[in-house]
Amino acid sequence: VASIDLEEGGYTTKRDVDAVLRQGMLEDPALRAFVLTNLEQRRISKDDDGKNNEVPLRWKIHWEGIVQELDSIAGFDVHDRVMDDSASDDATEIISQQQQQHDMQ
C-alpha cells in the first residue's frame, strides 16, 4: 500500500485505488475496505490555467512510518509486557512526530 504513489499515479477516486489494490496487492475485500477508509478524497482547487493545484487523494495515515516500524509493531506482544503510562506516552509521541512529518510533505 505504501508503494502506491497517489501523485504520480493519476488516481482521482477511491475506486481507482481500489482497482490497484484488487490486482494482487490486497485481494481480501474486507482488508481493502479497511485500507480505503484511510484514504481521503480532497476538494480540488484550480489555478489560473485551469490545472489542479492539489492531488485529489491523500492518505490519512503515515504509511512510510508504519513500514519503517513494522518489525516493532509486528513483534509487540501485549502478553509479554505490561504497558505503563510512560510507554504509552512514548508511542503517542512517536506517532505524532511521524504524522507531523507526513503532513509537512
Side-chain angles (χ1 to χ4, degrees):
V1 175
S3 66
I4 296 176
D5 188 340
L6 298 174
E7 189 171 346
E8 295 297 321
Y11 308 109
T12 57
T13 66
K14 286 186 177 186
R15 183 173 287 163
D16 294 339
V17 177
D18 183 47
V20 172
L21 293 173
R22 194 177 316 121
Q23 295 173 353
M25 191 177 293
L26 285 175
E27 295 177 10
D28 181 343
L31 189 53
R32 272 198 330 273
F34 170 74
V35 167
L36 290 172
T37 64
N38 292 292
L39 190 59
E40 176 180 54
Q41 191 155 2
R42 302 185 291 181
R43 294 178 187 232
I44 303 301
S45 61
K46 301 207 180 263
D47 63 16
D48 293 336
D49 296 329
K51 295 181 181 177
N52 293 344
N53 286 331
E54 296 182 29
V55 177
L57 298 171
R58 169 179 113 76
W59 292 112
K60 294 179 188 178
I61 61 174
H62 181 51
W63 285 112
E64 292 81 12
I66 291 173
V67 169
Q68 289 172 356
E69 298 298 327
L70 193 56
D71 288 338
S72 299
I73 294 168
F76 184 77
D77 185 355
V78 294
H79 300 292
D80 286 346
R81 344 180 144 139
V82 174
M83 191 174 211
D84 62 16
D85 290 339
S86 64
S88 177
D89 292 344
D90 291 346
T92 301
E93 178 64 25
I94 290 169
I95 292 169
S96 176
Q97 288 172 356
Q98 289 178 345
Q99 187 63 46
Q100 288 173 357
Q101 290 173 349
H102 173 69
D103 291 344
M104 292 179 7
Q105 294 178 350

